Amino acid sequence: MAYKVLVVDDEAQIHTFMRISLEAEGFEYFGAASIASALAQYQAQQPHILVLDLGLPDGDGITLLQTLRQSNKVPVLILTARDQEEEKIRLLEAGANDYLSKPFGIRELIARIKVLVRDLVDESP
């Protein structure tokens, strides 16, 4: 089974890079560039993992995180240029499962996604 990953970022280059990298690792990639499109993609695709940037054109990604946390526990990896400790703590306390600062290495990102997948498998009955 290919795990579905929804990448929410407003940078086209990130989507191209992530799609190629995730598909090469056997993941099924879906992309969104805004909160609105992410919610639509989330409903349509029911991804296993969400990779979320914070600086989106229609709001802060934390809004999407909080919305999702009201109804489900999909693992969320924050991927952003914001790297202040207080910001990381705020997002982890708001429900993020992991946090990676831009710029990032693709091998580390893939490893972190695999950990989230492993946690999903460990939690299944």
Side-chain angles (χ1 to χ4, degrees), residues 47-111:
H48 298 99
I49 307 285
L50 186 75
V51 177
L52 177 61
D53 184 23
L54 298 178
L56 299 169
D58 57 347
D60 195 314
I62 194 168
T63 303
L64 177 58
L65 175 63
Q66 292 168 332
T67 299
L68 291 173
R69 284 295 172 251
Q70 291 174 9
S71 61
N72 68 67
K73 295 182 185 239
V74 62
V76 177
L77 169 65
I78 301 295
L79 182 64
T80 185
R82 301 178 198 173
D83 64 355
Q84 298 299 316
E85 182 180 15
E86 287 303 314
E87 181 76 358
K88 293 176 185 179
I89 292 168
R90 181 174 77 98
L91 289 156
L92 291 167
E93 288 177 346
N97 297 79
D98 200 357
Y99 191 105
L100 186 59
S101 298
K102 291 178 182 178
F104 61 93
I106 192 62
R107 290 177 56 215
E108 180 179 4
L109 175 73
I110 296 296

Side-chain angles (χ1 to χ4, degrees), residues 6-21:
L6 174 58
V7 176
V8 184
D9 198 299
D10 62 340
E11 296 179 44
Q13 308 92 320
I14 294 284
H15 282 283
T16 300
F17 180 62
M18 296 281 284
R19 181 184 50 77
I20 292 166
S21 301

Side-chain angles (χ1 to χ4, degrees), residues 17-61:
F17 180 62
M18 296 281 284
R19 181 184 50 77
I20 292 166
S21 301
L22 288 168
E23 288 177 353
E25 291 290 328
F27 292 100
E28 192 172 349
Y29 164 90
F30 297 94
S34 66
I35 292 171
S37 63
L39 287 170
Q41 280 279 45
Y42 184 83
Q43 292 299 321
Q45 304 302 333
Q46 295 296 300
H48 298 99
I49 307 285
L50 186 75
V51 177
L52 177 61
D53 184 23
L54 298 178
L56 299 169
D58 57 347
D60 195 314

